[in-house]
Amino acid sequence: MALLTPEDLENLLDKLEYNEKVIKKVTGFEIKQICEETYGTFPDSEVVGIVPVTSGNGIIDNFTASLAAIVNHFGLKGFVTEHTDISGYNEAVSRRADIIMMADDHIFIAHNLKNGKISTNHECTGIIYSEIAARYLHADSTDILVIGLGRVGYAGASHLAKKGFNVYACDPNIEFLEKAVKELGVKPYERNSGKKFSMIMEATPCKDTISEGMVSDRCLVSTPGIPCGLPENIGKKYKVDMVMEPLVIGVASMLYSVF
Ligand code: NAD
Ligand code: 2YG
Ligand code: MG
C-alpha cells in the first residue's frame, strides 16, 4: 500500500477549501451535507482521541496533528495522545475520548466507544468519493466509471451499485475485476468501446490512468488516488472538473460513519 508522505499533508486546509468550492459547484452541496445525507448522522460534540502508532514504517510526520486539525475543523474536539500505541490508547480512553482514531501501515480506523461503530478509511473514502461523483449536477446518464477496484475502488463501486447506478469498472488485476462483476454486477469497461463517461471515480496509486477515450466534455473526476490519475492535457482539453484531496474528505466520511 502506498503510504502518505509528510509532503502530502502540507497545506491541507487550503486544499480542502479549494475542493469545497469545486464540490459545491459540481454537486450543489457541502461536504458536511453530503456526509450527513450519506450516513444519516450528525455530530454531537464528540471528543476524538488520536493515537500515534509506531509499528511498521512508524510515525508519519504531521499525520496525527493533521487528524486533530481536521477533527477541529469539523467542529469536534480532537487531541493527540502524548503516548504512542497501547499506552496512547489507554491515555485516550482515560482522557474520555468518545472516538479513537489510529492508523498503522495497513488500516486506519475510527472507533466510537459509545455506540460501538467502527469504520475504516479505505471503505469511507470509497463511499464519499463515489457519492460525490454520483451527485454530479450535469451528468448525462446514470452511467459511471470506476477506475481501480482495490480497497477504495471496490467500496466505491459497491456503494454506487447499491444506489442503482450503472457501474462500469476497470482494473488490470483480472481477479479483482471478476470479483466486482460477480459480487456487484459491474460491467467491465472496454477501452475500444468508444463509451465515454460524465462521472468517473478513480482510485489507484498510479499516474495517467484516465485516457482520452473515457472522458466526455465537462465530465467530473472524483479521485482520492495519489498521484493524480488525470493527465493535465486531458483535463484542460475536456474542461474536466476534479475533486482530489489527500486526507480530509475521507476522514470526514469516517467520522460521520461512526456518529
Ligand atoms: P489498492 O492497492 O488496494 O488498489 C489500487 C488498485 O488500482 C489495484 O487493484 C490496482 O490493480 C488498480 N490499478 C492500478 N493501475 C490501474 C489502471 N491503470 N487502471 C485501473 N486500475 C488500476 O489501493 P487503495 O487502498 O484502494 O488506494 C487507492 C489510492 O487511494 C492510493 O493511491 C491511496 O494512497 C489513495 N487513498 C487516498 C485517500 C484520500 O483520502 N485521498 C484515502 C485512502 C486511499
Ligand atoms: O501514527 C502514525 O503516524 C502512522 N502509523 C500512520 C500511518 C498511516 C499509513 N496509512 C496511509 O498512509 C494511507 N494509505 C491511509 C491514509 C489515508 C489517506 N490518504
Ligand atoms: Mg480524503
Side-chain angles (χ1 to χ4, degrees):
M1 184 210 279
L3 300 181
L4 281 170
T5 65
E7 293 71 50
D8 293 329
L9 301 174
E10 283 169 7
N11 307 318
L12 270 187
L13 293 181
D14 293 341
K15 289 177 197 161
L16 175 66
E17 196 183 334
Y18 174 78
N19 279 281
E20 279 276 19
K21 280 189 190 138
V22 178
I23 292 168
K24 183 84 189 185
K25 181 182 114 180
V26 295
T27 70
F29 293 97
E30 288 169 10
I31 292 170
K32 272 187 190 185
Q33 289 175 292
I34 298 178
C35 288
E36 283 170 9
E37 290 183 12
T38 302
Y39 297 107
T41 56
F42 300 88
D44 185 19
S45 308
E46 284 85 351
V47 175
V48 182
I50 300 155
V51 184
V53 172
T54 63
S55 68
N57 285 288
I59 304 283
I60 296 175
D61 281 351
N62 271 331
F63 178 71
T64 51
S66 299
L67 294 184
I70 295 166
V71 164
N72 295 336
H73 175 83
F74 286 98
L76 304 177
K77 193 164 169 265
F79 67 87
V80 178
T81 58
E82 282 172 29
H83 297 90
T84 65
D85 306 302
I86 314 295
S87 304
Y89 186 97
N90 187 53
E91 179 189 334
V93 175
S94 315
R95 289 170 65 182
R96 301 197 172 281
D98 301 306
I99 296 172
I100 308 278
M101 290 191 115
M102 56 189 177
D104 65 12
D105 295 346
H106 303 285
I107 196 157
F108 170 18
I109 60 166
H111 186 191
N112 188 328
L113 302 177
K114 290 236 163 107
N115 61 19
K117 290 187 192 175
I118 187 161
S119 67
T120 64
N121 177 263
H122 53 273
E123 187 174 11
C124 293
T125 299
I127 290 172
I128 197 70
Y129 278 85
S130 64
E131 182 71 34
I132 291 166
R135 286 176 179 241
Y136 187 35
L137 287 170
H138 307 294
D140 59 17
S141 69
T142 59
D143 294 354
I144 188 162
L145 175 63
V146 176
I147 303 172
L149 290 165
R151 301 197 312 168
V152 174
Y154 185 91
S158 172
H159 182 67
L160 294 167
K162 281 185 202 136
K163 282 175 74 83
F165 280 77
N166 196 17
V167 185
Y168 289 74
C170 58
D171 194 304
N173 183 324
I174 298 303
E175 279 176 26
F176 283 14
L177 184 60
E178 282 174 355
K179 182 173 182 278
V181 169
K182 192 169 156 220
E183 294 177 0
L184 308 176
V186 311
K187 298 178 180 68
Y189 165 73
E190 313 278 356
R191 254 178 205 281
N192 44 19
S193 63
K195 184 156 181 56
K196 289 173 174 276
F197 293 86
S198 61
M199 298 177 283
I200 298 177
M201 184 216 173
E202 196 271 5
T204 83
C206 305
K207 279 179 68 171
D208 300 345
T209 55
I210 301 178
S211 57
E212 195 159 357
M214 295 169 171
V215 301
S216 61
D217 217 20
R218 296 185 179 277
C219 75
L220 172 63
V221 170
S222 179
T223 176
I226 305 169
C228 179
L230 178 68
E232 215 178 313
N233 59 327
I234 296 180
K236 279 204 178 118
K237 182 170 172 188
Y238 293 90
K239 301 188 175 66
V240 176
D241 275 311
M242 184 165 63
V243 175
M244 181 186 72
E245 186 285 321
L247 186 65
V248 184
I249 297 173
V251 169
S253 179
M254 291 171 79
L255 289 167
Y256 277 81
S257 81
V258 300
F259 288 155

